[in-house]
Amino acid sequence: MSRSTPPQQGGFIPRDRDWQPDALTPAYKTSVKRSPQAALLSFPTTLSEETSPVFGQDMLGPLDNDLIHNYAQPGESAIGPRIILHGRVLDEFGRGVPGALLEFWQANAGGRYRHKKEGYLAALDPNFGGCGRTITGEDGSYELRTIMPGPYPWPNGLNDWRPAHIHFSIFGHGFAQRLITQMYFEGDPHIKLCPILGAVKSQEAVDALTALLDMKRTVPMDSRAYRFDMVLRGRRQTYFENRKEGL
Amino acid sequence: MQRLDYLKETPSQTAGPYVHIGCTPNFAGIDIYGGDLGTALKTGPVKGTEITIKGTVYDGMGMALRDAMIEIWQPDAAGLFASANETRGEADPNFTGWGRSPGDMETGEFTFETVKPGAVPFPDGRMQAPHITVWVVARGINIGLHTRLYFEDEAEANAADPILTRIEHQNRIPTLLAKPEGDGVYRFDIHLQGPQETIFFDI
């Protein structure tokens, strides 16, 4: 949250567990032994969940949101179709979330991550690190530049491929809003085949993770653009006599 | 009739096997940013009792996870959060309250150098026992898991804690208790499933 933003009080509205993926999704095999089996314990949010750390613009470098250049040698750039990704971080009431920290990571244009445990034979791009970060503006908007990540095979079923995607980690204004998700690209035929995306329960929810080509924000002879909005949980603000600090 | 439409929270997805690339890139071997966020909770001399928390995340087969990311969030020794939403006072300026650990590359053990948190009130005014919010993501976890670390040596406060007392299966409470190991070190292991499954929260 930017330091000029006034404090926000009040509890978060409950998470919709019918909309969010279940813990156990056997088609995604790793979930089988990593999913809690007991019911989650519900309780109203307290200050521990209604607060979160402050991330300021002063923590970021000028190229942190430019994956084409933030790991490249001077004068060089990452290989692949150049894209601009932009959108807003909103809460469930449609209010922009300013000062949200977004961290993102992805495979390179060939579908390979810069990680020593990565086993895919696609080439590494020496000018591509695959990570970036930014902080949303006063209206919750953000923008980054990167290259289109490639789809890649992974060991789950014998022939499973991940659709092209970008991972997002999002810090809003309370720890209850903490979220990690993945963004997909309109038109990718792997979307409906992917066991990880299959953990998402409805087509509407899959669509919420699928960015649209945005020709209005395209830069001619340079970059295409995609738009991706993210929604964090909403906070109640109403004053009640029996709960003066907000609900 | 009008429509009662609100936006839906963005669906969560697994952090995948390479969450460290995005959240602790320097740890993952990507030399960028000049350091990873959340590596130090203490940025100078801090008030209160300094403690170390160690733990490991285990899957349902008892295997240690080596691809998890653990985050903690807590108040300072006086019970104040270093947050823009803290209205009760000014938190210790040398304490961030937020830590992030990828765990050891070989063993998966995570470590946080922090301070013993002060007590924070429940919404109804009762005091909660000192606790730390813990959040776990990893490959295979479709939505990040919230839990809390309480301290085994705070028996009196734990017995009155508004959340611990509402847990139906009281025999599971030890899964939320960090155990002293001497020299200010506490152990807090997390079990994702099985007979020792940690109590996870829907908050």
Side-chain angles (χ1 to χ4, degrees):
Chain A
M1 162 172 326
S2 66
R3 290 183 167 85
S4 61
T5 308
Q8 296 179 323
Q9 306 241 286
F12 287 96
I13 60 178
R15 177 163 264 157
D16 185 349
R17 296 273 170 180
D18 290 332
W19 166 260
Q20 289 291 349
D22 291 328
L24 177 61
T25 50
Y28 174 28
K29 292 178 181 172
T30 319
S31 77
V32 172
K33 288 297 173 191
R34 293 185 172 196
S35 44
Q37 293 167 326
L40 303 181
L41 178 72
S42 296
F43 58 87
T45 54
T46 74
L47 280 166
S48 302
E49 297 81 33
E50 292 163 13
T51 55
S52 79
V54 176
F55 299 101
Q57 295 284 355
D58 54 346
M59 298 168 63
L60 304 189
L63 289 180
D64 282 7
N65 69 337
D66 182 354
L67 279 71
I68 294 176
H69 297 110
N70 70 4
Y71 195 74
Q73 295 298 315
E76 300 191 23
S77 55
I79 294 170
R82 296 152 68 96
I83 57 173
I84 293 164
L85 203 64
H86 75 101
R88 292 180 70 200
V89 178
L90 306 163
D91 71 11
E92 289 166 287
F93 300 111
R95 298 179 287 226
V97 180
L101 173 72
L102 303 180
E103 296 163 286
F104 23 91
W105 64 102
Q106 63 170 89
N108 69 22
R112 179 161 167 175
Y113 285 96
R114 181 170 290 282
H115 196 283
K116 64 176 189 168
K117 290 183 177 168
E118 164 71 273
Y120 187 30
L121 46 73
L124 262 184
D125 178 350
N127 289 312
F128 186 70
C131 60
R133 57 189 186 182
T134 191
I135 290 177
T136 57
E138 285 301 311
D139 60 350
S141 63
Y142 75 94
E143 184 166 320
L144 62 102
R145 300 176 77 194
T146 186
I147 51 93
M148 187 84 177
Y152 58 84
W154 61 296
N156 184 64
L158 194 55
N159 189 22
D160 282 329
W161 289 68
R162 298 297 330 275
H165 64 276
I166 296 176
H167 297 263
F168 278 88
S169 166
I170 311 154
F171 252 106
H173 296 175
F175 229 86
Q177 290 178 318
R178 194 75 182 83
L179 189 70
I180 282 184
T181 191
Q182 301 179 38
M183 187 213 90
Y184 302 89
F185 294 88
E186 176 188 8
D188 189 328
H190 291 294
I191 286 175
K192 58 176 171 292
L193 303 174
C194 175
I196 287 178
L197 196 45
V200 175
K201 292 177 193 163
S202 65
Q203 185 59 46
E204 191 186 359
V206 171
D207 290 346
L209 297 180
T210 308
L212 291 175
L213 178 68
D214 181 359
M215 288 303 289
K216 284 196 166 55
R217 288 288 286 269
T218 291
V219 178
M221 302 304 288
D222 183 327
S223 299
R224 289 189 300 162
Y226 283 85
R227 179 176 170 130
F228 183 57
D229 289 343
M230 286 164 269
V231 180
L232 301 179
R233 290 171 61 192
R235 186 191 289 265
R236 297 192 185 97
Q237 301 281 14
T238 313
Y239 175 92
F240 285 92
E241 285 174 38
N242 62 356
R243 197 152 171 208
K244 295 182 169 56
E245 75 284 3
L247 264 184
Chain B
M1 202 157 43
Q2 296 187 357
R3 290 167 60 102
L4 191 55
D5 283 344
Y6 290 100
L7 299 177
K8 294 289 231 179
E9 185 186 21
T10 297
S12 172
Q13 291 259 271
T14 172
Y18 304 131
V19 62
H20 300 157
I21 291 176
C23 294
T24 55
N26 294 275
F27 172 82
I30 300 170
D31 184 18
I32 197 167
Y33 307 153
D36 292 332
L37 293 175
T39 49
L41 287 109
K42 295 177 281 191
T43 56
V46 290
K47 302 179 187 111
T49 308
E50 301 193 32
I51 61 171
T52 301
I53 293 164
K54 289 178 177 292
T56 306
V57 185
Y58 294 101
D59 72 9
M61 299 295 283
M63 288 271 293
L65 270 62
R66 290 178 299 169
D67 54 4
M69 180 177 81
I70 298 92
E71 288 183 350
I72 63 170
W73 172 241
Q74 64 163 96
D76 65 11
L80 295 169
F81 289 97
S83 164
N85 295 335
E86 176 60 82
T87 56
R88 298 167 300 150
E90 196 74 27
D92 185 339
N94 290 332
F95 187 68
T96 70
W98 178 63
R100 174 183 268 179
S101 174
D104 182 88
M105 275 193 193
E106 302 300 324
T107 65
E109 184 175 71
F110 58 84
T111 305
F112 294 103
E113 302 286 340
T114 184
V115 299
K116 189 93 175 273
V120 175
F122 200 58
D124 64 7
R126 286 181 290 166
M127 286 313 272
Q128 303 181 80
H131 65 270
I132 293 174
T133 291
V134 179
W135 193 67
V136 183
V137 291
R139 177 173 64 100
I141 297 176
N142 288 322
I143 183 164
L145 296 167
H146 284 272
T147 186
R148 278 187 178 189
L149 177 160
Y150 287 87
F151 295 89
E152 192 182 61
D153 52 13
E154 295 278 352
E156 198 176 323
N158 291 342
D161 181 79
I163 288 170
L164 292 179
T165 51
R166 72 192 283 162
I167 294 172
E168 184 182 359
H169 299 106
Q170 291 279 306
N171 60 336
R172 295 185 67 208
I173 287 179
T175 70
L176 301 182
L177 303 181
K179 293 159 186 61
E181 284 192 334
D183 287 341
V185 178
Y186 289 85
R187 174 153 301 275
F188 185 68
D189 288 334
I190 297 167
H191 295 267
L192 298 179
Q193 62 174 223
Q196 300 179 80
E197 182 177 311
T198 301
I199 298 177
F200 295 106
F201 297 157
D202 178 18
I203 35 112

